[in-house]
Amino acid sequence: VMLNFMKSSDIYIEVGGLNNSIVISPTYGVITSSEQKRPQTAFQRCILHRLADRFSIRREKNLSNGFIRLIKQPGSKEPSRSLLDAEQQGPGSSEYMEHGGDHGNSNSN
């Protein structure tokens, strides 16, 4: 959804619902939807905020529906490395470590 949003002409989308499964576009209306109308969990909101950070997207809470509005900024862009690339290289690879895969955390006992 994030990659499609970055490629679209929409300047914002709204995301909410269980598993972030409801996406509303100002151009296309409801893009995806879930039959279950439960709200996002704290973990799901955290994932959405972390992805927005990676894409340099501003977030606002839509008070009318409780969804999170993701808004493109002039500096918004796709990250140079995808999370899938980092996952495939894994924590033991030298490239993973060079790109801050462990965020500088090392356990030296």
Side-chain angles (χ1 to χ4, degrees):
V1 170
M2 293 294 277
L3 292 174
N4 290 338
F5 170 52
M6 294 303 294
K7 293 173 184 171
S8 78
S9 61
D10 289 338
I11 58 169
Y12 75 90
I13 59 172
E14 294 185 352
V15 180
L18 181 64
N19 297 323
N20 297 320
S21 60
I22 302 172
V23 179
I24 302 171
S25 158
T27 304
Y28 302 106
V30 176
I31 297 173
T32 60
S33 181
S34 170
E35 295 300 316
Q36 301 172 344
K37 301 297 183 193
R38 293 184 287 179
Q40 295 167 305
T41 65
F43 177 71
Q44 293 159 353
R45 281 190 303 277
C46 178
I47 291 171
L48 188 60
H49 284 287
R50 295 255 173 114
L51 280 171
D53 286 342
R54 284 189 51 82
F55 285 79
S56 301
I57 295 174
R58 191 177 82 205
R59 282 96 58 202
E60 294 177 354
K61 181 155 184 158
N62 183 332
L63 298 177
S64 67
N65 62 14
F67 284 18
I68 297 171
R69 180 174 284 186
L70 304 174
I71 305 167
K72 288 183 203 173
Q73 302 299 296
S76 296
K77 63 184 183 328
E78 291 181 35
S80 59
R81 290 189 65 218
S82 74
L83 293 175
L84 182 58
D85 292 339
E87 172 77 18
Q88 289 173 344
Q89 291 170 3
S93 75
S94 60
E95 186 173 336
Y96 180 87
M97 299 303 276
E98 288 171 12
H99 290 286
D102 70 348
H103 299 287
N105 298 328
S106 61
N107 294 332
S108 54
N109 296 349

